[in-house]
Amino acid sequence: MTDQKLMQDEGASEVIFALDIGTRNVVGTLAKKHNDIYTVLDYEIMAHPERSMFDGQIHDIDKVATVIRQVKRNLEARNEMTLKKVAIAAAGRALKTSRVTVSMDLDFSKEINKEIIDSLEMEGIQMAQEQIASGSQKYEPKYYCVGYSVIHYYLDDALIMNPKGHRGNIMTAEIIATFLPHIVVDGLYSAVAKADLEVLNMTLEPIAAINVAIPENLRLLNLALVDVGAGTSDIAITKEGTIASYGMVALAGDEITEVLAKEFLLDYNAAERLKVELSQKDVHDFTDVIGLPHTCTTAEIMEKIQPVIDNITEEIAKTIIAYNDKTPSAVFCIGGGCQVPGFTLTLAKWLGLQKERAVIKGTEHLEKLVFEGSALKGPEYITPIGIGVTAFKEKENDFLQVSVNENQIRMFNSKSLTVSDALVLVGFSARKLIAPRGPAIHYTLDGLPQTIYGEYGEPAKIYINGVQASLDTKLKNKDAIFIEEAVEGQSRKLRINEVAKWERKLNINGVEMNQFKAVLVNEQPSTLDAYIEDGNAICISFHEQLSYWVQQLGLTFETAQIKLNGNLVDRDQIIKSGDQ
């Protein structure tokens, strides 16, 4: 289908310019989307002439901007158009991940509800954010939370799958949270602006890759995507319909290249070429730096590099299992580094997966993808295609502008954002969402410890644009969030006669009498109407001697016949409640 025909067809979209700004290359694509078909009209690949990026972060904005500008101009010239906006992605290797354990004291008398669980998770994300930011002492860096996953819940130190509806004293969660430093975002925006372009959409490279490699209808499955680049291997995990967590291993293709360079005495570029050709040829002829020629089979070379492949894949497998808490159902590998022979087989071994369930996913395996010219083939071009596809899905929604209690913030739209994400970004304390009970009063009654629990407080109220909402309410651009903080409950005021058993009844000649004698508070006389205070030691005494009651009636044992429960008794008899 030609571009002219595509533009005439009903349902065709405008052309989107997408850039994959990589550590070694910049890949630019022009594409249209016609109904469900994504058509790449043209593309341009250009290497950085100098090292201006390291591990996905721009170090020299001007040099990167020069390459972007040239890619833009080449595409403009061939396609006779002016490009003003571009879709980009932040590198997965720029992500920072923190694993934390967070606990919350509970009121045992109250069932655990979703609000309590959400508050605990939010506090854990803030703790993870503080842990990452603690490395910078002079300035306070900002991070966008792009995803988190709860690894385990515990209730009173016992592992529990779902604490909702249970009761306990302490709830604990182990959380993995992933953040993107704002410096990475700012650097990309600056480089693009210097190339006379405006950012149309920004996403994360793992999200862009997943959007084409693992479409949404597959995300109910527990799958892992591994992007094996030059310096790092980036990991994203899906389950229960969403991208659950991200990870990164600082081992990738460069480790293999370095081993080849050392083993065969090659310069870096020659070793890199040899690595790429391992998946293309059975016999390799090359010359080392001294000038000696070599002829080796792929099998002979693989013997030299298998230990480093074992090391890389073992670390990737450990990270996947740590972030997923188990082996996933399958693993898709993308990026140039995964094409080395035996890479996926070794990864499957460390994961305990069937070898068929660890596979390389290249652009040639993507459905609904059409190239008008020559095709970009291979797993290393999944991400450039994914950036464009994601831009069509989320155009102009790279950041949401929202406010929290009139404090304006910008949120990186890497996932479905909720109120809790906004509160994390502004540093709103999760403790202010849950209303604590009023202070408890601890006292003793006749030597036994007692507690009067405080009243329940008023939980926080959340409003979006004046309408009551909750922590997991989805956010839209320009939403105004207002939080009324939780109000602590009051201490309960109780009198002694409301908690003490101060009535003991006995029956004297058919008349009911109370045996109550006196009340002492901290060994001092008091009254039953007195309010109980924290630390009180309360003692209730009763008239238990029969002689007391005989005297009260104006009688004596000598002049009256005294029967207790129908039996004659003497003056030393002790009487109990209910006696007649």
Side-chain angles (χ1 to χ4, degrees):
M1 182 181 290
T2 66
D3 183 36
Q4 185 177 4
K5 177 69 166 61
L6 188 62
M7 291 174 68
Q8 292 172 351
D9 280 352
E10 186 178 351
S13 60
E14 75 276 21
V15 173
I16 278 189
F17 176 33
L19 274 177
D20 181 8
I21 306 170
T23 301
R24 290 184 182 161
N25 299 311
V26 174
V27 180
T29 62
L30 294 179
K32 279 181 173 284
K33 194 173 182 192
H34 182 251
N35 297 327
D36 289 335
I37 304 300
Y38 183 81
T39 302
V40 178
L41 308 174
D42 196 5
Y43 60 84
E44 181 77 14
I45 304 171
M46 185 170 291
H48 295 287
E50 299 178 52
R51 293 297 300 274
S52 51
M53 290 186 68
F54 296 87
D55 292 337
Q57 182 171 326
I58 295 175
H59 284 250
D60 192 318
I61 289 175
D62 288 336
K63 288 179 181 178
V64 173
T66 299
V67 177
I68 293 172
R69 189 181 297 111
Q70 192 58 53
V71 169
K72 168 181 174 280
R73 287 174 178 171
N74 292 350
L75 289 171
E76 287 177 329
R78 285 200 299 269
N79 295 275
E80 298 181 350
M81 62 174 62
T82 300
L83 300 174
K84 295 182 179 180
K85 294 186 177 183
V86 65
I88 57 175
R93 61 191 64 89
L95 295 172
K96 294 182 178 292
T97 298
S98 176
R99 184 165 182 160
V100 298
T101 300
V102 59
S103 296
M104 175 185 286
D105 292 332
L106 302 175
D107 178 355
F108 189 85
S109 67
K110 190 176 181 181
E111 280 190 2
I112 299 170
N113 56 26
K114 190 176 186 304
E115 287 72 26
I116 294 173
I117 297 171
D118 287 346
S119 177
L120 177 69
E121 292 176 8
M122 178 178 150
E123 188 173 347
I125 296 167
Q126 290 173 328
M127 184 185 294
Q129 191 177 43
E130 290 169 4
Q131 190 177 89
I132 289 174
S134 63
S136 176
Q137 299 297 326
K138 189 174 181 181
Y139 302 106
E140 182 182 353
K142 290 185 179 179
Y143 294 88
Y144 302 106
C145 180
V146 299
Y148 76 96
S149 180
V150 178
I151 307 304
H152 294 298
Y153 292 107
Y154 298 90
L155 191 57
D156 294 338
D157 295 330
L159 182 67
I160 190 166
M161 293 295 293
N162 183 0
K164 186 177 178 181
H166 291 270
R167 299 174 192 267
N169 296 298
I170 299 176
M171 181 169 61
T172 302
E174 287 183 39
I175 293 174
I176 286 180
T178 307
F179 301 89
L180 180 68
H182 81 109
I183 188 174
V184 174
V185 177
D186 292 348
L188 287 168
Y189 267 71
S190 297
V192 166
K194 285 180 176 290
D196 304 317
L197 287 164
E198 180 184 344
V199 174
L200 170 70
N201 171 262
M202 180 174 179
T203 187
L204 291 172
E205 288 181 3
I207 292 175
I210 271 186
N211 280 339
V212 290
I214 307 178
E216 289 185 11
N217 62 328
L218 295 181
R219 293 181 198 172
L220 285 172
L221 303 175
N222 187 198
L223 306 172
L225 181 75
V226 182
D227 184 356
V228 187
T232 62
S233 296
D234 304 322
I235 298 162
I237 294 168
T238 69
K239 56 184 172 183
E240 298 176 1
T242 188
I243 303 171
S245 57
Y246 304 91
M248 187 270 285
V249 173
L251 297 170
D254 282 351
E255 272 68 32
I256 300 172
T257 303
E258 289 170 7
V259 170
L260 288 171
K262 291 175 183 177
E263 286 290 340
F264 298 103
L265 212 57
L266 301 172
D267 64 39
Y268 188 86
N269 290 334
E272 184 70 14
R273 284 194 301 273
L274 178 59
K275 180 181 72 175
V276 171
E277 290 175 353
L278 288 174
S279 60
Q280 302 169 356
K281 295 164 35 175
D282 293 327
V283 179
H284 308 269
D285 296 305
F286 52 91
T287 303
D288 63 26
V289 294
I290 297 175
L292 296 176
H294 296 264
T295 299
C296 298
T297 65
T298 296
E300 290 171 336
I301 296 171
M302 288 302 301
E303 285 184 11
K304 302 291 187 182
I305 64 173
Q306 189 58 48
V308 70
I309 292 174
D310 272 318
N311 185 35
I312 296 168
T313 53
E314 183 181 11
E315 287 304 311
I316 292 172
K318 285 179 180 177
T319 302
I320 290 173
I321 292 171
Y323 283 26
N324 192 50
D325 202 33
K326 62 178 180 178
T327 296
S329 301
V331 178
F332 294 104
C333 295
I334 63 171
C338 72
Q339 298 179 83
V340 175
F343 188 93
T344 55
L345 289 175
T346 312
L347 179 58
K349 178 191 75 174
W350 290 116
L351 285 169
L353 274 176
Q354 299 172 17
K355 63 181 181 180
E356 296 83 6
R357 292 200 171 189
V359 297
I360 293 175
K361 187 93 176 238
T363 56
E364 57 272 25
H365 298 125
L366 299 180
E367 298 178 357
K368 302 177 181 179
L369 173 64
V370 175
F371 289 90
E372 284 212 339
S374 60
L376 281 168
K377 292 185 177 180
E380 63 268 45
Y381 297 114
I382 287 284
T383 299
I385 298 299
I387 294 171
V389 169
T390 302
F392 278 111
K393 292 174 58 180
E394 302 175 359
K395 190 167 53 179
E396 297 178 350
N397 287 325
D398 55 333
F399 283 97
L400 295 185
Q401 299 284 344
V402 302
S403 65
V404 178
N405 290 359
E406 300 183 352
N407 178 22
Q408 298 291 327
I409 58 171
R410 183 175 71 171
M411 302 180 68
F412 183 55
N413 193 13
S414 63
K415 59 188 180 72
S416 183
L417 293 169
T418 65
V419 171
S420 63
D421 296 310
L423 299 190
V424 167
L425 193 57
V426 299
F428 189 92
S429 172
R431 302 275 171 163
K432 295 179 180 179
L433 296 171
I434 303 299
R437 271 188 161 186
I441 295 174
H442 302 282
Y443 66 100
T444 62
L445 180 60
D446 294 330
L448 297 177
Q450 308 288 332
T451 300
I452 300 173
Y453 292 101
E455 302 283 358
Y456 287 110
E458 285 289 328
K461 293 178 182 176
I462 299 171
Y463 299 91
I464 297 180
N465 307 324
V467 178
Q468 195 153 1
S470 65
L471 282 175
D472 55 3
T473 299
K474 301 290 189 294
L475 292 178
K476 304 185 298 298
N477 200 33
K478 304 296 184 182
D479 274 348
I481 304 165
F482 184 76
I483 310 289
E484 288 183 7
E485 294 181 9
V487 178
E488 182 179 357
Q490 298 294 316
S491 179
R492 290 181 68 195
K493 290 290 187 180
L494 292 179
R495 300 175 192 272
I496 294 173
N497 59 16
E498 294 179 84
V499 299
K501 293 181 179 179
W502 59 276
E503 288 190 314
R504 288 189 188 177
K505 303 292 187 180
L506 73 156
N507 189 293
I508 301 177
N509 293 346
V511 178
E512 196 170 62
M513 300 282 192
N514 186 359
Q515 287 183 258
F516 174 76
K517 179 179 181 181
V519 56
L520 296 178
V521 176
N522 300 334
E523 300 182 350
Q524 298 298 316
S526 185
T527 66
L528 290 169
D529 287 333
Y531 285 106
I532 301 171
E533 296 181 1
D534 195 54
N536 279 173
I538 302 169
C539 291
I540 306 291
S541 60
F542 297 90
H543 293 291
E544 297 177 328
Q545 297 290 333
L546 180 58
S547 57
Y548 168 81
W549 293 103
V550 171
Q551 184 181 2
Q552 291 298 107
L553 293 172
L555 303 174
T556 65
F557 282 92
E558 290 75 17
T559 61
Q561 186 181 54
I562 310 298
K563 288 185 177 181
L564 181 64
N565 300 326
N567 299 311
L568 288 170
V569 291
D570 59 26
R571 68 177 63 244
D572 296 325
Q573 182 67 42
I574 299 298
I575 57 175
K576 305 183 297 298
S577 179
D579 279 351
Q580 295 190 13

